[in-house]
Amino acid sequence: MPPVPPSHFTDPFLETLQSASHINAQDDPNYYANDPKSLISQSNVHTFVNGTGSSVYNSLVPLLESTNHELILVTCFWARSDTLQTLNNALLKLSDKAIRRGTEKIRVQLCFSSSSLFQKLFHKQSTSGQEYPPSDWVNKLGLPPKSELGGLDLTVKSIFILPFSVMHPKYIILDRQTVVLPSCNISWEEWFEGAVVLSGPIVSQFTTFHTEFWQRQSPPALPAASPSEAPISHPEPGTSNLPHAHTITHFPSASLSGVPTIFLPSPHRRNPHFQPFTPSSNVKPPSTPLNIFLLTILAKATSNVTIQTPNLTSPPVLSALLSALSRGIDVHIRTSARLMILEQLVTAGTTTSRCIKTLIKRYKNFLRQHPPPSSTSTDEEAAIAISPYRPGRLRIEFFEPLGGPRKKGQEGGEPQQSHLKMMCVDGEVVVLGSGNLDRASWFTSQELGVAFFDKEFVGNVLGSVEEGMRGRTRVVFDSAENV
C-alpha cells in the first residue's frame, strides 16, 4: 500500500473542504470541488534549491534545456531581467535542438499575469485571457524574435482580473514528466527564493490544473519518444553551498520517492470582501484547499511551527498563530519589514510591521493573563498551572540583507529581500508554493501550494533555509529573551 499523509492532518482538512464543496463549485478552476481526495498524491523529490531568483533559474538551465517535446512555464510577474535572459537562452537552445532533430517543433507555453500597471489596467477582463502575437514578443515582452525561434511552437498568454486578482502561481512542467515549483518570478528583483524539482504522480495534478485554467481544452498528445532522445535526467546526489545564500541539494532517487503529497490550489476571488470593522478573529477566508489546509495544520500542530513569508497581513493566519501559541506551540516567523508597502496598504489596509506589532501585543496580553506558577508553588500546583496554559515561544525575525541594502543593479548577487513562501509544522509537513500569508493571497489572488509529508525533506528544507538566512535577519521579538 503506498504511503499516505497523516490522518490527523488530512481527515479534518478533507472534511472541511467537502463541507465547502457547494461554494467551491463556483470557483475557476473547480474540478476538485466534489472530490477533495483527488488532491492527495505522491511525488518523487529530486532537488531543492534556494538563492536569488536569477541564481535559481541559472541552476535550472540544464533541466530546461533537456525538454524534448513540451515546456510550460507559468509565472506571476514578467519583466526584463537576468532571469528573462536565462530563459531566452534556453528557448534558443531548444529551438536549435528541434531544428537539428528535424522532427516536430517543441511546444512552449509562457503564461503570466502582470508586467506593468498599464498592462493590468487595460487587460482583457476575462479568464480566457489574452494572447500576444509574435509582433509583441520583442518590444513588449523582451523575448527573442520569431525568426530566431523557428524550432518552437510558442504561445504567450496573460490573465489578470481587476481590481486585485493576479494569477500568482509559479510552476514549470517539462514533457509532462517533471515539475519545478519555484517561488520566484521572471523578474529583476534580487530576492531570496526557493524551488523544488519533482516527478511522479504529482505531475498530473499540475497538468490538470494548467489544462483547466490556462488551456481550457484537452492538450494534444505528446509524440512518442524516439531512440535518439535523451530523457530528462537529474544530477548526482549531493549538496552545493555557494555564495549569496545559494544552496542546491540533489537527493538520491531512492531516498525521496513516493513522498505523500497534497496539491493545494487556491482560485482567485474578484471581490476582496473588506471588513474594516470586523475583529480579525471573525474574518473568514475563502474555503480554498490551500487556505483550509494551512489553517488545519496550524490548528493540529502539537510542537512547533516555522514560517517564512514575504508579508504577514492575513487576519485568519494571525488569529491561528495566536491560538497555536496559546496551546503551547512554539512559533518561529521570518518575514519582511518593508516589502511591497503600497501593495499591502491597497490590498490589506495595513502592513506587515503593524500586524507583527499587534501579534506581539496580543501575545504579551495572553502572557499577563496566564502567568507562570510562582517559585513557591508545589510540583503538583505547578503542573496544574502549566499544563493547560503554557504558552509557546514566539520568535520573530525580519530579513535584512548581508552588508546592508544595496541599490538596484549593485546587489552583486546578494539577496535584498526574502520572497520564499514556506510553512513547516512539527517537522512532519512542509508547504511550498506561491502563497504568501498576506490578505491578497488569502482573499483575491490565485495561488498554488504543495504539501510534502516527509521528515527527511522537511529537515533538509529547514536546514537549507536556515543556512541561507545566516547573518541575514534581525530578531524583532523572542519571548525567551524579551519576556
Side-chain angles (χ1 to χ4, degrees), residues 420-437:
L420 179 70
K421 306 93 166 35
M422 177 194 76
M423 181 184 291
C424 297
V425 171
D426 294 344
E428 289 188 70
V429 56
V430 59
V431 181
L432 301 170
S434 70
N436 303 325
L437 298 184

PDB file of all heavy atoms in Angstrom, residues 420-437:
ATOM      1  N   LEU A 420      10.642  33.847  -0.281  1.00  0.00           N
ATOM      2  CA  LEU A 420      10.296  32.444  -0.107  1.00  0.00           C
ATOM      3  C   LEU A 420       8.983  32.321   0.648  1.00  0.00           C
ATOM      4  O   LEU A 420       8.729  33.067   1.596  1.00  0.00           O
ATOM      5  CB  LEU A 420      11.405  31.731   0.650  1.00  0.00           C
ATOM      6  CG  LEU A 420      11.189  30.244   0.949  1.00  0.00           C
ATOM      7  CD1 LEU A 420      11.266  29.420  -0.323  1.00  0.00           C
ATOM      8  CD2 LEU A 420      12.218  29.762   1.970  1.00  0.00           C
ATOM      9  N   LYS A 421       8.154  31.337   0.255  1.00  0.00           N
ATOM     10  CA  LYS A 421       6.908  31.058   0.951  1.00  0.00           C
ATOM     11  C   LYS A 421       6.997  29.632   1.496  1.00  0.00           C
ATOM     12  O   LYS A 421       7.056  28.663   0.732  1.00  0.00           O
ATOM     13  CB  LYS A 421       5.706  31.165   0.002  1.00  0.00           C
ATOM     14  CG  LYS A 421       5.627  32.505  -0.761  1.00  0.00           C
ATOM     15  CD  LYS A 421       6.302  32.425  -2.094  1.00  0.00           C
ATOM     16  CE  LYS A 421       6.005  33.550  -3.056  1.00  0.00           C
ATOM     17  NZ  LYS A 421       5.809  34.862  -2.614  1.00  0.00           N
ATOM     18  N   MET A 422       7.004  29.499   2.802  1.00  0.00           N
ATOM     19  CA  MET A 422       7.223  28.196   3.423  1.00  0.00           C
ATOM     20  C   MET A 422       6.520  28.123   4.771  1.00  0.00           C
ATOM     21  O   MET A 422       6.566  29.070   5.557  1.00  0.00           O
ATOM     22  CB  MET A 422       8.729  27.969   3.627  1.00  0.00           C
ATOM     23  CG  MET A 422       9.103  26.684   4.339  1.00  0.00           C
ATOM     24  SD  MET A 422      10.841  26.701   4.897  1.00  0.00           S
ATOM     25  CE  MET A 422      10.737  27.788   6.339  1.00  0.00           C
ATOM     26  N   MET A 423       5.859  26.985   5.032  1.00  0.00           N
ATOM     27  CA  MET A 423       5.337  26.721   6.367  1.00  0.00           C
ATOM     28  C   MET A 423       5.654  25.275   6.720  1.00  0.00           C
ATOM     29  O   MET A 423       5.315  24.357   5.977  1.00  0.00           O
ATOM     30  CB  MET A 423       3.826  26.944   6.465  1.00  0.00           C
ATOM     31  CG  MET A 423       3.269  26.704   7.874  1.00  0.00           C
ATOM     32  SD  MET A 423       1.460  26.852   8.012  1.00  0.00           S
ATOM     33  CE  MET A 423       1.243  28.623   7.761  1.00  0.00           C
ATOM     34  N   CYS A 424       6.322  25.075   7.863  1.00  0.00           N
ATOM     35  CA  CYS A 424       6.641  23.743   8.371  1.00  0.00           C
ATOM     36  C   CYS A 424       5.944  23.552   9.712  1.00  0.00           C
ATOM     37  O   CYS A 424       5.937  24.471  10.549  1.00  0.00           O
ATOM     38  CB  CYS A 424       8.145  23.565   8.567  1.00  0.00           C
ATOM     39  SG  CYS A 424       9.117  23.682   7.064  1.00  0.00           S
ATOM     40  N   VAL A 425       5.385  22.378   9.920  1.00  0.00           N
ATOM     41  CA  VAL A 425       4.688  22.082  11.177  1.00  0.00           C
ATOM     42  C   VAL A 425       5.185  20.751  11.740  1.00  0.00           C
ATOM     43  O   VAL A 425       5.162  19.717  11.046  1.00  0.00           O
ATOM     44  CB  VAL A 425       3.157  22.033  10.971  1.00  0.00           C
ATOM     45  CG1 VAL A 425       2.460  21.510  12.218  1.00  0.00           C
ATOM     46  CG2 VAL A 425       2.627  23.419  10.616  1.00  0.00           C
ATOM     47  N   ASP A 426       5.646  20.794  12.985  1.00  0.00           N
ATOM     48  CA  ASP A 426       6.023  19.608  13.755  1.00  0.00           C
ATOM     49  C   ASP A 426       7.110  18.760  13.094  1.00  0.00           C
ATOM     50  O   ASP A 426       7.262  17.572  13.422  1.00  0.00           O
ATOM     51  CB  ASP A 426       4.791  18.727  14.030  1.00  0.00           C
ATOM     52  CG  ASP A 426       3.784  19.400  14.942  1.00  0.00           C
ATOM     53  OD1 ASP A 426       4.150  20.391  15.595  1.00  0.00           O
ATOM     54  OD2 ASP A 426       2.624  18.940  14.991  1.00  0.00           O
ATOM     55  N   GLY A 427       7.844  19.329  12.163  1.00  0.00           N
ATOM     56  CA  GLY A 427       8.854  18.544  11.460  1.00  0.00           C
ATOM     57  C   GLY A 427       8.275  17.456  10.585  1.00  0.00           C
ATOM     58  O   GLY A 427       9.017  16.619  10.050  1.00  0.00           O
ATOM     59  N   GLU A 428       6.943  17.452  10.406  1.00  0.00           N
ATOM     60  CA  GLU A 428       6.270  16.409   9.635  1.00  0.00           C
ATOM     61  C   GLU A 428       5.876  16.848   8.239  1.00  0.00           C
ATOM     62  O   GLU A 428       5.852  16.033   7.303  1.00  0.00           O
ATOM     63  CB  GLU A 428       4.986  15.951  10.354  1.00  0.00           C
ATOM     64  CG  GLU A 428       5.166  15.165  11.599  1.00  0.00           C
ATOM     65  CD  GLU A 428       3.830  14.614  12.097  1.00  0.00           C
ATOM     66  OE1 GLU A 428       3.276  13.723  11.449  1.00  0.00           O
ATOM     67  OE2 GLU A 428       3.344  15.104  13.126  1.00  0.00           O
ATOM     68  N   VAL A 429       5.526  18.106   8.077  1.00  0.00           N
ATOM     69  CA  VAL A 429       4.983  18.580   6.810  1.00  0.00           C
ATOM     70  C   VAL A 429       5.545  19.958   6.484  1.00  0.00           C
ATOM     71  O   VAL A 429       5.729  20.790   7.372  1.00  0.00           O
ATOM     72  CB  VAL A 429       3.434  18.621   6.855  1.00  0.00           C
ATOM     73  CG1 VAL A 429       2.935  19.484   8.011  1.00  0.00           C
ATOM     74  CG2 VAL A 429       2.853  19.115   5.535  1.00  0.00           C
ATOM     75  N   VAL A 430       5.845  20.168   5.212  1.00  0.00           N
ATOM     76  CA  VAL A 430       6.255  21.482   4.737  1.00  0.00           C
ATOM     77  C   VAL A 430       5.393  21.832   3.539  1.00  0.00           C
ATOM     78  O   VAL A 430       5.134  20.996   2.676  1.00  0.00           O
ATOM     79  CB  VAL A 430       7.757  21.529   4.373  1.00  0.00           C
ATOM     80  CG1 VAL A 430       8.115  20.513   3.293  1.00  0.00           C
ATOM     81  CG2 VAL A 430       8.163  22.927   3.947  1.00  0.00           C
ATOM     82  N   VAL A 431       4.930  23.083   3.497  1.00  0.00           N
ATOM     83  CA  VAL A 431       4.154  23.587   2.372  1.00  0.00           C
ATOM     84  C   VAL A 431       4.997  24.621   1.637  1.00  0.00           C
ATOM     85  O   VAL A 431       5.491  25.580   2.237  1.00  0.00           O
ATOM     86  CB  VAL A 431       2.828  24.226   2.838  1.00  0.00           C
ATOM     87  CG1 VAL A 431       2.019  24.730   1.635  1.00  0.00           C
ATOM     88  CG2 VAL A 431       1.999  23.222   3.637  1.00  0.00           C
ATOM     89  N   LEU A 432       5.162  24.415   0.336  1.00  0.00           N
ATOM     90  CA  LEU A 432       5.891  25.337  -0.520  1.00  0.00           C
ATOM     91  C   LEU A 432       4.981  25.768  -1.673  1.00  0.00           C
ATOM     92  O   LEU A 432       4.006  25.088  -1.979  1.00  0.00           O
ATOM     93  CB  LEU A 432       7.149  24.674  -1.089  1.00  0.00           C
ATOM     94  CG  LEU A 432       8.179  24.154  -0.083  1.00  0.00           C
ATOM     95  CD1 LEU A 432       9.230  23.310  -0.780  1.00  0.00           C
ATOM     96  CD2 LEU A 432       8.830  25.303   0.669  1.00  0.00           C
ATOM     97  N   GLY A 433       5.299  26.871  -2.303  1.00  0.00           N
ATOM     98  CA  GLY A 433       4.499  27.309  -3.440  1.00  0.00           C
ATOM     99  C   GLY A 433       4.500  28.810  -3.593  1.00  0.00           C
ATOM    100  O   GLY A 433       5.486  29.487  -3.282  1.00  0.00           O
ATOM    101  N   SER A 434       3.353  29.346  -4.036  1.00  0.00           N
ATOM    102  CA  SER A 434       3.269  30.779  -4.343  1.00  0.00           C
ATOM    103  C   SER A 434       2.586  31.593  -3.256  1.00  0.00           C
ATOM    104  O   SER A 434       2.667  32.816  -3.253  1.00  0.00           O
ATOM    105  CB  SER A 434       2.503  30.981  -5.658  1.00  0.00           C
ATOM    106  OG  SER A 434       1.128  30.669  -5.488  1.00  0.00           O
ATOM    107  N   GLY A 435       1.879  30.935  -2.345  1.00  0.00           N
ATOM    108  CA  GLY A 435       1.007  31.648  -1.426  1.00  0.00           C
ATOM    109  C   GLY A 435       1.741  32.376  -0.311  1.00  0.00           C
ATOM    110  O   GLY A 435       2.453  31.759   0.491  1.00  0.00           O
ATOM    111  N   ASN A 436       1.567  33.695  -0.245  1.00  0.00           N
ATOM    112  CA  ASN A 436       2.036  34.472   0.894  1.00  0.00           C
ATOM    113  C   ASN A 436       1.020  34.366   2.020  1.00  0.00           C
ATOM    114  O   ASN A 436      -0.126  33.962   1.813  1.00  0.00           O
ATOM    115  CB  ASN A 436       2.212  35.945   0.511  1.00  0.00           C
ATOM    116  CG  ASN A 436       3.161  36.138  -0.652  1.00  0.00           C
ATOM    117  OD1 ASN A 436       4.132  35.405  -0.786  1.00  0.00           O
ATOM    118  ND2 ASN A 436       2.875  37.121  -1.492  1.00  0.00           N
ATOM    119  N   LEU A 437       1.403  34.785   3.197  1.00  0.00           N
ATOM    120  CA  LEU A 437       0.459  34.821   4.318  1.00  0.00           C
ATOM    121  C   LEU A 437      -0.080  36.241   4.475  1.00  0.00           C
ATOM    122  O   LEU A 437      -0.194  36.762   5.584  1.00  0.00           O
ATOM    123  CB  LEU A 437       1.131  34.332   5.595  1.00  0.00           C
ATOM    124  CG  LEU A 437       1.632  32.892   5.549  1.00  0.00           C
ATOM    125  CD1 LEU A 437       2.189  32.474   6.898  1.00  0.00           C
ATOM    126  CD2 LEU A 437       0.535  31.935   5.105  1.00  0.00           C
TER     127      LEU A 437
END
